[in-house]
Amino acid sequence: DHDAAPRVAMIRAAAFFDLDGTLLAVNSGRLWLSHERAHRRLTAQDAAKGLAYLVAYKLGLVDVRMALGLAAAALRGRPEREFEESVHRWYEEHVRPLRAPLADRAIERHRAAGHRLVLLTTSTVYQAAIAARDFGLDDHLGTRFAVADGRFTGALVHPVPFGRGKVELAEEYAAREGISLEHSYFYSDSITDLPMLERVGHPRIVNPDPRLALVAKLRSFPVLDWGRPEVPYDRTLVQKVTSLFR
């Protein structure tokens, strides 16, 4: 039928969301350090060093893959199921109350538009799976630790979702799911996510850190404020990390 209109392939778009500082109004890594310290799985000094590392990571001064490698090594021999259950209890008690107040509105707009909703985070896949269910997302991509016979081997699985690693994982996911990144969205607060923000057609900046705020201004990226509930903090850890810089 020469008169029939040509078929146009349907373009599938996704909305990718960072977790810490974006969907959550806090860096959950700090809460995890407090949790592990409270359960005596970390010394005060190690917890303080971890907090200092998180501060440097937030500022884009260090590559978090080194810290994740150390975290993977520390889990060597621990049962995966036990760790997963611990993460679930911690999330429900300490993290779930700290959702960004206006995040759900954005999620629902994308759901109404028929977009695939994907969590793309440096957090572990264990936390990512719980958070994705909590926010009603379709899928999740996060940091993976190698497992053999139900126990962690101490190795980190690459690519790690940090910097260009997020782009690699998103591209693999898009190819697998038939998604156009050029028509997709990515929401983030962090300068470390700039490669992914540049990769999608619709970058969205949420409550940005100072460096990303500057980039957003220079490039006219849309900047959103999703609000921040009151965030508790571990005063002892804050005092400890402050002493490291004296």
Side-chain angles (χ1 to χ4, degrees):
D1 186 352
H2 296 291
D3 295 325
R7 289 186 177 182
V8 179
M10 181 178 294
I11 297 174
R12 295 191 67 200
F16 294 90
F17 299 88
D18 180 39
L19 183 59
D20 291 332
T22 305
L23 293 181
L24 297 176
V26 66
N27 187 309
S28 60
R30 176 171 57 77
L31 300 180
W32 179 254
L33 288 173
S34 297
H35 176 268
E36 291 294 277
R37 171 59 181 153
H39 287 78
R40 300 183 183 277
R41 287 189 284 262
L42 279 179
T43 66
Q45 187 69 19
D46 285 342
K49 288 179 180 178
L51 183 57
Y53 203 98
L54 286 174
V55 172
Y57 159 64
K58 179 69 175 177
L59 296 174
L61 302 176
V62 296
D63 189 329
V64 77
R65 283 170 291 199
M66 180 180 295
L68 289 171
L70 294 174
L75 287 171
R76 183 182 295 113
R78 186 171 175 180
E80 181 186 29
R81 183 62 182 272
E82 173 193 289
F83 179 74
E84 186 175 12
E85 291 173 351
S86 177
V87 171
H88 188 273
R89 290 192 298 270
W90 161 76
Y91 185 96
E92 289 298 322
E93 182 178 354
H94 298 288
V95 181
R96 198 171 192 276
L98 300 175
R99 296 159 53 109
L102 300 183
D104 286 324
R105 292 186 186 181
I107 291 171
E108 289 310 312
R109 284 196 296 271
H110 285 289
R111 192 190 313 280
H115 298 158
R116 185 84 170 165
L117 307 174
V118 185
L119 182 61
L120 178 57
T121 174
T122 307
S123 298
T124 69
V125 290
Y126 308 99
Q127 181 181 350
I130 299 166
R133 289 195 298 270
D134 185 23
F135 284 95
L137 306 184
D138 300 310
D139 219 332
H140 64 276
L141 301 168
T143 295
R144 295 168 294 163
F145 299 131
V147 176
D149 299 322
R151 293 180 180 272
F152 293 108
T153 68
L156 195 59
V157 177
H158 293 271
V160 175
F162 172 78
R164 289 292 307 173
K166 280 193 176 182
V167 175
E168 290 181 49
L169 286 174
E171 288 178 339
E172 292 173 3
Y173 183 85
R176 188 166 64 246
E177 299 293 330
I179 289 170
S180 165
L181 291 180
E182 288 71 20
H183 291 83
S184 293
Y185 297 73
F186 180 50
Y187 293 80
S188 178
D189 71 309
S190 176
I191 189 65
T192 62
D193 282 332
L194 186 57
M196 184 61 190
L197 288 164
E198 293 174 331
R199 181 64 182 84
V200 297
H202 304 285
R204 295 291 185 266
I205 314 301
V206 180
N207 296 12
D209 63 38
R211 292 176 64 189
L212 185 57
L214 177 59
V215 171
K217 183 176 182 180
L218 293 173
R219 301 194 187 182
S220 299
F221 288 163
V223 178
L224 309 171
D225 184 350
W226 284 357
R228 294 183 182 276
E230 183 177 350
V231 178
Y233 67 98
D234 187 321
R235 187 177 300 276
T236 301
L237 270 183
V238 171
Q239 291 172 342
K240 195 77 174 179
V241 72
T242 300
S243 69
L244 295 176
F245 294 97
R246 290 174 179 167

